[in-house]
Coordinates of all heavy atoms in Angstrom, one line a residue:
M1 N -8.7 -12.2 -5.4 CA -8.1 -11.1 -4.6 C -7.0 -11.7 -3.8 O -7.2 -12.7 -3.1 CB -9.1 -10.3 -3.8 CG -8.4 -9.3 -2.9 SD -9.7 -8.3 -2.0 CE -9.0 -6.7 -2.3
P2 N -5.8 -11.1 -3.8 CA -4.7 -11.7 -3.0 C -5.0 -11.6 -1.5 O -5.6 -10.6 -1.0 CB -3.5 -10.8 -3.3 CG -3.9 -10.0 -4.5 CD -5.4 -10.0 -4.6
L3 N -4.6 -12.6 -0.8 CA -4.9 -12.7 0.7 C -3.8 -12.2 1.5 O -4.0 -11.7 2.6 CB -5.3 -14.1 1.1 CG -6.6 -14.6 0.4 CD1 -6.8 -16.1 0.8 CD2 -7.8 -13.8 0.7
D4 N -2.6 -12.3 1.1 CA -1.4 -11.9 1.9 C -1.2 -10.4 1.8 O -1.7 -9.8 0.8 CB -0.2 -12.7 1.6 CG 0.4 -12.3 0.2 OD1 -0.3 -12.2 -0.8 OD2 1.7 -12.1 0.1
T5 N -0.6 -9.8 2.7 CA -0.4 -8.4 2.8 C 0.4 -7.8 1.6 O 0.0 -6.8 1.0 CB 0.3 -7.9 4.1 OG1 -0.5 -8.4 5.2 CG2 0.4 -6.4 4.2
V6 N 1.4 -8.5 1.2 CA 2.2 -8.1 0.1 C 1.4 -8.1 -1.2 O 1.4 -7.2 -2.0 CB 3.5 -8.9 -0.1 CG1 4.3 -8.6 -1.4 CG2 4.5 -8.7 1.1
G7 N 0.7 -9.2 -1.4 CA -0.2 -9.3 -2.6 C -1.2 -8.2 -2.6 O -1.5 -7.6 -3.7
R8 N -1.8 -7.9 -1.5 CA -2.8 -6.8 -1.5 C -2.2 -5.5 -1.8 O -2.8 -4.6 -2.4 CB -3.6 -6.8 -0.1 CG -4.5 -8.0 0.1 CD -5.2 -8.0 1.4 NE -5.7 -6.7 1.8 CZ -5.3 -6.1 3.0 NH1 -4.5 -6.7 3.8 NH2 -5.8 -4.9 3.3
F9 N -1.0 -5.3 -1.2 CA -0.3 -4.0 -1.4 C 0.1 -3.9 -2.9 O -0.2 -2.8 -3.5 CB 1.0 -4.0 -0.6 CG 1.9 -2.8 -0.8 CD1 1.4 -1.5 -0.7 CD2 3.2 -3.0 -1.2 CE1 2.3 -0.4 -0.9 CE2 4.0 -1.9 -1.5 CZ 3.6 -0.6 -1.3
L10 N 0.6 -4.9 -3.5 CA 0.9 -4.9 -4.9 C -0.3 -4.6 -5.8 O -0.2 -3.8 -6.7 CB 1.6 -6.2 -5.4 CG 3.0 -6.4 -4.8 CD1 3.5 -7.8 -5.2 CD2 4.0 -5.4 -5.3
A11 N -1.4 -5.2 -5.4 CA -2.7 -5.0 -6.2 C -3.1 -3.5 -6.1 O -3.8 -3.0 -7.0 CB -3.8 -5.9 -5.7
A12 N -2.8 -2.9 -4.9 CA -3.3 -1.5 -4.7 C -2.4 -0.5 -5.5 O -2.8 0.7 -5.6 CB -3.3 -1.2 -3.2
L13 N -1.2 -0.9 -5.9 CA -0.3 0.0 -6.5 C -0.6 0.3 -8.0 O -1.2 -0.6 -8.6 CB 1.2 -0.6 -6.5 CG 1.8 -0.6 -5.1 CD1 3.1 -1.5 -5.2 CD2 2.2 0.8 -4.6
D14 N -0.2 1.5 -8.5 CA -0.4 1.7 -9.9 C 0.6 0.8 -10.6 O 1.6 0.3 -10.0 CB -0.1 3.2 -10.2 CG 1.3 3.6 -9.9 OD1 2.2 3.3 -10.7 OD2 1.4 4.3 -8.9
P15 N 0.4 0.6 -11.9 CA 1.3 -0.4 -12.7 C 2.8 -0.1 -12.6 O 3.6 -1.0 -12.4 CB 0.8 -0.3 -14.1 CG -0.7 0.1 -14.0 CD -0.7 1.0 -12.8
A16 N 3.2 1.1 -12.7 CA 4.6 1.4 -12.6 C 5.2 1.1 -11.3 O 6.3 0.5 -11.2 CB 4.9 2.9 -13.0
H17 N 4.5 1.5 -10.2 CA 5.1 1.2 -8.9 C 5.0 -0.3 -8.6 O 5.8 -0.9 -7.9 CB 4.3 1.9 -7.8 CG 4.7 3.4 -7.7 ND1 3.9 4.4 -7.9 CD2 5.9 3.9 -7.4 CE1 4.5 5.6 -7.7 NE2 5.8 5.3 -7.5
R18 N 3.9 -1.0 -9.1 CA 3.8 -2.4 -8.9 C 5.0 -3.1 -9.5 O 5.6 -4.0 -8.9 CB 2.5 -2.9 -9.6 CG 2.2 -4.4 -9.3 CD 0.9 -4.9 -9.9 NE -0.2 -4.0 -9.5 CZ -0.9 -3.3 -10.3 NH1 -0.8 -3.4 -11.6 NH2 -1.9 -2.5 -9.9
E19 N 5.4 -2.7 -10.7 CA 6.6 -3.4 -11.3 C 7.8 -3.1 -10.5 O 8.6 -4.0 -10.3 CB 6.7 -2.8 -12.8 CG 7.8 -3.5 -13.6 CD 7.9 -3.0 -15.0 OE1 6.8 -2.7 -15.6 OE2 9.0 -3.0 -15.5
A20 N 8.0 -1.9 -10.1 CA 9.2 -1.5 -9.3 C 9.3 -2.3 -8.0 O 10.3 -2.8 -7.6 CB 9.2 0.0 -9.0
V21 N 8.2 -2.4 -7.3 CA 8.2 -3.1 -6.0 C 8.3 -4.6 -6.2 O 9.0 -5.2 -5.4 CB 6.9 -2.7 -5.2 CG1 6.7 -3.6 -4.0 CG2 6.9 -1.2 -4.8
S22 N 7.7 -5.1 -7.3 CA 7.8 -6.5 -7.5 C 9.3 -7.0 -7.8 O 9.7 -8.1 -7.5 CB 7.0 -6.9 -8.8 OG 5.6 -6.8 -8.5
G23 N 10.1 -6.0 -8.2 CA 11.5 -6.3 -8.5 C 12.4 -6.2 -7.2 O 13.6 -6.6 -7.3
K24 N 11.8 -5.7 -6.1 CA 12.6 -5.6 -4.9 C 12.6 -6.9 -4.1 O 11.8 -7.8 -4.3 CB 11.9 -4.5 -4.0 CG 12.0 -3.1 -4.6 CD 11.4 -2.1 -3.6 CE 11.4 -0.7 -4.2 NZ 12.8 -0.2 -4.3
P25 N 13.6 -7.1 -3.3 CA 13.6 -8.3 -2.4 C 12.4 -8.5 -1.6 O 11.7 -7.5 -1.2 CB 14.9 -8.1 -1.5 CG 15.7 -7.1 -2.2 CD 14.7 -6.2 -3.0
R26 N 12.0 -9.7 -1.3 CA 10.8 -10.0 -0.6 C 10.7 -9.2 0.8 O 9.7 -8.7 1.2 CB 10.6 -11.5 -0.3 CG 9.4 -11.9 0.5 CD 8.1 -11.7 -0.3 NE 7.0 -12.1 0.5 CZ 5.8 -12.2 0.0 NH1 5.5 -11.9 -1.3 NH2 4.8 -12.5 0.8
E27 N 11.9 -9.1 1.4 CA 12.0 -8.4 2.7 C 11.5 -6.9 2.6 O 10.8 -6.4 3.4 CB 13.4 -8.5 3.3 CG 13.5 -8.0 4.7 CD 15.0 -8.3 5.2 OE1 15.2 -9.4 5.6 OE2 15.8 -7.3 5.1
E28 N 12.0 -6.3 1.5 CA 11.6 -4.9 1.2 C 10.1 -4.8 0.9 O 9.5 -3.9 1.3 CB 12.5 -4.3 0.1 CG 12.1 -2.9 -0.3 CD 12.5 -1.9 0.7 OE1 13.1 -2.2 1.8 OE2 12.1 -0.7 0.5
Q29 N 9.6 -5.7 0.1 CA 8.2 -5.8 -0.2 C 7.4 -5.9 1.1 O 6.4 -5.2 1.3 CB 7.9 -6.9 -1.1 CG 8.4 -6.8 -2.5 CD 8.1 -8.0 -3.3 OE1 7.3 -8.8 -3.0 NE2 8.9 -8.2 -4.4
E30 N 7.8 -6.7 2.0 CA 7.1 -6.9 3.3 C 7.1 -5.7 4.1 O 6.1 -5.3 4.8 CB 7.6 -8.1 4.0 CG 7.3 -9.4 3.4 CD 8.0 -10.6 4.0 OE1 8.9 -10.4 4.9 OE2 7.7 -11.7 3.6
R31 N 8.3 -5.0 4.1 CA 8.4 -3.7 4.9 C 7.5 -2.7 4.3 O 6.8 -2.0 5.1 CB 9.8 -3.2 4.9 CG 10.1 -2.1 5.8 CD 11.5 -1.5 5.7 NE 11.8 -0.9 4.4 CZ 11.3 0.2 3.9 NH1 10.5 0.9 4.6 NH2 11.5 0.6 2.7
L32 N 7.4 -2.5 3.0 CA 6.5 -1.5 2.4 C 5.1 -1.9 2.6 O 4.2 -1.0 2.9 CB 6.8 -1.4 0.9 CG 8.2 -0.8 0.5 CD1 8.5 -1.0 -0.9 CD2 8.1 0.7 0.9
A33 N 4.7 -3.2 2.5 CA 3.4 -3.6 2.8 C 3.0 -3.3 4.2 O 1.8 -2.9 4.5 CB 3.2 -5.1 2.4
A34 N 3.9 -3.5 5.2 CA 3.5 -3.2 6.6 C 3.3 -1.8 6.8 O 2.4 -1.3 7.5 CB 4.7 -3.7 7.5
E35 N 4.1 -0.9 6.1 CA 3.9 0.5 6.2 C 2.6 0.9 5.6 O 1.9 1.8 6.1 CB 5.1 1.2 5.5 CG 5.1 2.7 5.6 CD 6.3 3.3 5.0 OE1 7.4 2.7 5.0 OE2 6.2 4.5 4.6
W36 N 2.2 0.2 4.5 CA 0.9 0.5 3.8 C -0.2 0.1 4.8 O -1.2 0.9 4.9 CB 0.9 -0.3 2.6 CG -0.4 -0.4 1.9 CD1 -1.0 0.6 1.1 CD2 -1.3 -1.5 1.8 NE1 -2.2 0.1 0.6 CE2 -2.4 -1.2 1.0 CE3 -1.2 -2.8 2.3 CZ2 -3.4 -2.1 0.7 CZ3 -2.2 -3.7 2.0 CH2 -3.3 -3.3 1.2
E37 N -0.2 -1.0 5.4 CA -1.2 -1.4 6.4 C -1.3 -0.4 7.5 O -2.4 0.0 7.9 CB -1.0 -2.8 6.9 CG -1.4 -3.9 6.0 CD -1.6 -5.2 6.7 OE1 -0.8 -5.5 7.7 OE2 -2.6 -5.9 6.4
E38 N -0.2 0.1 8.0 CA -0.2 1.1 9.1 C -0.8 2.4 8.6 O -1.6 3.0 9.3 CB 1.2 1.4 9.5 CG 1.3 2.3 10.7 CD 2.7 2.4 11.2 OE1 3.5 1.4 11.3 OE2 3.1 3.6 11.6
E39 N -0.6 2.8 7.3 CA -1.2 4.0 6.7 C -2.7 3.8 6.7 O -3.4 4.7 7.0 CB -0.6 4.2 5.3 CG -1.1 5.4 4.6 CD -0.5 6.7 5.1 OE1 0.7 6.7 5.6 OE2 -1.1 7.8 5.0
L40 N -3.1 2.7 6.3 CA -4.6 2.4 6.2 C -5.2 2.5 7.6 O -6.3 3.0 7.8 CB -4.8 1.0 5.6 CG -4.8 0.9 4.1 CD1 -4.8 -0.6 3.7 CD2 -5.9 1.6 3.5
E41 N -4.5 1.9 8.6 CA -5.1 1.9 10.0 C -5.1 3.3 10.7 O -6.0 3.5 11.4 CB -4.3 0.9 10.8 CG -4.5 -0.5 10.5 CD -3.6 -1.4 11.2 OE1 -2.8 -1.0 12.1 OE2 -3.5 -2.6 10.9
Q42 N -4.1 4.1 10.4 CA -4.0 5.3 11.2 C -4.5 6.6 10.6 O -4.7 7.5 11.3 CB -2.5 5.5 11.5 CG -2.0 4.4 12.4 CD -0.5 4.7 12.9 OE1 0.1 5.6 12.6 NE2 0.0 3.7 13.7
D43 N -4.7 6.6 9.3 CA -5.1 7.9 8.7 C -6.7 8.0 8.6 O -7.3 7.1 8.0 CB -4.6 7.9 7.2 CG -4.8 9.3 6.6 OD1 -5.9 9.7 6.4 OD2 -3.8 10.0 6.5
T44 N -7.2 9.0 9.3 CA -8.6 9.1 9.4 C -9.3 9.5 8.0 O -10.4 9.2 7.8 CB -9.0 10.2 10.4 OG1 -8.4 11.4 10.1 CG2 -8.6 9.7 11.8
D45 N -8.6 10.2 7.2 CA -9.1 10.5 5.9 C -9.3 9.3 5.1 O -10.3 9.1 4.3 CB -8.2 11.5 5.1 CG -8.1 12.9 5.6 OD1 -9.1 13.3 6.4 OD2 -7.1 13.6 5.4
I46 N -8.4 8.3 5.2 CA -8.5 7.1 4.5 C -9.7 6.3 5.1 O -10.4 5.6 4.3 CB -7.2 6.3 4.5 CG1 -6.2 7.0 3.5 CG2 -7.4 4.8 4.0 CD1 -4.8 6.4 3.5
D47 N -9.9 6.3 6.4 CA -11.0 5.6 7.0 C -12.3 6.0 6.3 O -13.2 5.2 6.1 CB -11.1 5.9 8.5 CG -10.0 5.2 9.3 OD1 -9.4 4.3 8.7 OD2 -9.7 5.6 10.4
V48 N -12.5 7.3 6.1 CA -13.7 7.8 5.4 C -13.8 7.3 4.0 O -14.8 6.8 3.6 CB -13.8 9.3 5.5 CG1 -15.0 9.9 4.6 CG2 -13.9 9.9 6.9
L49 N -12.7 7.4 3.3 CA -12.7 6.9 1.9 C -12.9 5.4 1.9 O -13.6 4.9 1.0 CB -11.3 7.2 1.3 CG -11.1 6.8 -0.2 CD1 -12.2 7.5 -1.1 CD2 -9.7 7.2 -0.6
D50 N -12.4 4.6 2.9 CA -12.6 3.2 3.0 C -14.1 2.8 3.1 O -14.6 1.9 2.5 CB -11.9 2.6 4.2 CG -11.9 1.1 4.2 OD1 -11.8 0.5 3.2 OD2 -12.1 0.6 5.3
E51 N -14.9 3.7 3.7 CA -16.3 3.4 3.9 C -17.0 3.6 2.5 O -18.0 2.9 2.2 CB -16.9 4.4 4.9 CG -16.5 4.1 6.3 CD -17.0 5.1 7.3 OE1 -17.9 5.9 6.9 OE2 -16.5 5.1 8.4
L52 N -16.5 4.5 1.7 CA -17.0 4.7 0.3 C -16.5 3.7 -0.7 O -17.3 3.2 -1.5 CB -16.7 6.1 -0.1 CG -17.2 7.2 0.8 CD1 -16.8 8.6 0.3 CD2 -18.8 7.2 0.9
S53 N -15.2 3.4 -0.6 CA -14.6 2.5 -1.6 C -13.3 1.9 -1.0 O -12.3 2.6 -1.0 CB -14.3 3.3 -2.9 OG -13.5 2.5 -3.7
P54 N -13.4 0.7 -0.5 CA -12.2 0.1 0.0 C -11.0 0.1 -1.0 O -9.9 0.3 -0.6 CB -12.6 -1.3 0.4 CG -14.1 -1.2 0.6 CD -14.5 -0.1 -0.4
A55 N -11.2 -0.2 -2.2 CA -10.2 -0.2 -3.2 C -9.5 1.2 -3.4 O -8.3 1.3 -3.5 CB -10.7 -0.7 -4.6
A56 N -10.3 2.2 -3.4 CA -9.8 3.6 -3.5 C -8.9 3.9 -2.2 O -7.9 4.5 -2.4 CB -10.9 4.6 -3.6
A57 N -9.4 3.5 -1.1 CA -8.6 3.7 0.1 C -7.3 3.0 0.1 O -6.2 3.6 0.5 CB -9.4 3.3 1.4
E58 N -7.3 1.8 -0.4 CA -6.0 1.0 -0.5 C -5.1 1.6 -1.5 O -3.9 1.7 -1.2 CB -6.3 -0.4 -0.8 CG -7.0 -1.2 0.4 CD -7.2 -2.6 0.1 OE1 -7.1 -3.1 -1.1 OE2 -7.6 -3.4 1.0
S59 N -5.6 2.1 -2.6 CA -4.8 2.8 -3.6 C -4.2 4.1 -3.1 O -3.0 4.4 -3.3 CB -5.6 3.0 -4.9 OG -5.9 1.8 -5.5
E60 N -5.0 4.8 -2.4 CA -4.5 6.1 -1.8 C -3.4 5.8 -0.8 O -2.4 6.5 -0.8 CB -5.7 6.9 -1.2 CG -5.2 8.1 -0.4 CD -4.6 9.2 -1.3 OE1 -4.7 9.1 -2.5 OE2 -3.9 10.1 -0.7
A61 N -3.6 4.8 0.1 CA -2.5 4.5 1.0 C -1.3 4.1 0.3 O -0.2 4.4 0.7 CB -3.0 3.4 2.0
A62 N -1.4 3.3 -0.7 CA -0.2 2.8 -1.5 C 0.5 4.0 -2.1 O 1.7 4.1 -2.1 CB -0.7 1.8 -2.5
R63 N -0.3 4.9 -2.7 CA 0.3 6.1 -3.3 C 1.1 6.9 -2.3 O 2.2 7.4 -2.5 CB -0.8 7.0 -3.9 CG -0.3 8.2 -4.7 CD -1.3 9.2 -5.1 NE -2.0 9.8 -3.9 CZ -1.4 10.7 -3.1 NH1 -0.2 11.2 -3.4 NH2 -2.1 11.2 -2.1
R64 N 0.6 7.0 -1.1 CA 1.3 7.8 0.0 C 2.5 7.1 0.4 O 3.6 7.8 0.6 CB 0.3 7.9 1.2 CG -0.8 8.9 0.9 CD -1.7 9.0 2.1 NE -2.9 9.8 1.9 CZ -3.7 10.1 2.8 NH1 -3.6 9.8 4.0 NH2 -4.8 10.9 2.5
V65 N 2.5 5.8 0.5 CA 3.7 5.0 0.9 C 4.8 5.2 -0.1 O 5.9 5.5 0.1 CB 3.4 3.6 1.2 CG1 4.7 2.7 1.3 CG2 2.6 3.4 2.4
M66 N 4.4 5.0 -1.4 CA 5.4 5.1 -2.5 C 5.9 6.6 -2.6 O 7.0 6.8 -3.1 CB 4.8 4.6 -3.8 CG 4.5 3.1 -3.7 SD 5.9 2.1 -3.1 CE 7.1 2.3 -4.3
G67 N 5.1 7.5 -2.3 CA 5.5 8.9 -2.3 C 6.7 9.2 -1.3 O 7.5 10.0 -1.5
R68 N 6.7 8.4 -0.3 CA 7.8 8.5 0.7 C 9.0 7.6 0.3 O 10.1 7.8 0.9 CB 7.3 8.0 2.1 CG 6.2 9.0 2.7 CD 5.9 8.6 4.2 NE 5.3 7.4 4.4 CZ 4.0 7.2 4.5 NH1 3.2 8.2 4.4 NH2 3.5 5.9 4.7
H69 N 8.8 6.7 -0.6 CA 9.9 5.8 -1.0 C 9.9 5.7 -2.5 O 9.4 4.8 -3.1 CB 9.6 4.4 -0.5 CG 9.5 4.3 1.0 ND1 10.6 4.3 1.8 CD2 8.4 4.3 1.8 CE1 10.1 4.3 3.1 NE2 8.8 4.3 3.1
P70 N 10.5 6.7 -3.2 CA 10.6 6.7 -4.6 C 11.3 5.4 -5.1 O 12.2 4.9 -4.5 CB 11.5 7.9 -5.0 CG 11.4 8.8 -3.7 CD 11.2 7.9 -2.6
A71 N 10.8 4.9 -6.2 CA 11.2 3.7 -6.8 C 12.7 3.7 -7.2 O 13.4 4.4 -7.4 CB 10.4 3.3 -8.0

């Protein structure tokens, strides 16, 4: 499992978004990954999902971030 934030964010993305984000400059990847971490920390619905399935919570947060930033 990737240990850095960008790697974890990329792992949480669906394949199409993963490919799109991987092609972006590292700075943009880091900005999106930071937004993803913030989404995970602040959304109470994801907190509940995280208790049931951390991977599902990370994927949901990634989906939300990418919904705000179309590829």
Side-chain angles (χ1 to χ4, degrees):
M1 175 175 223
L3 297 178
D4 72 313
T5 303
V6 172
R8 288 180 42 240
F9 174 59
L10 290 172
L13 290 168
D14 62 77
H17 282 121
R18 185 176 308 120
E19 185 176 329
V21 172
S22 293
K24 293 183 182 292
R26 180 69 181 189
E27 188 174 280
E28 177 70 6
Q29 291 177 16
E30 290 172 353
R31 188 186 63 73
L32 289 168
E35 189 175 329
W36 170 73
E37 279 199 322
E38 187 175 320
E39 183 78 25
L40 281 170
E41 290 173 6
Q42 293 186 2
D43 191 289
T44 57
D45 291 337
I46 289 178
D47 288 343
V48 172
L49 184 58
D50 186 42
E51 292 175 11
L52 301 174
S53 171
E58 289 182 349
S59 292
E60 174 61 17
R63 185 191 64 74
R64 291 178 184 188
V65 168
M66 294 311 296
R68 292 190 296 264
H69 302 279

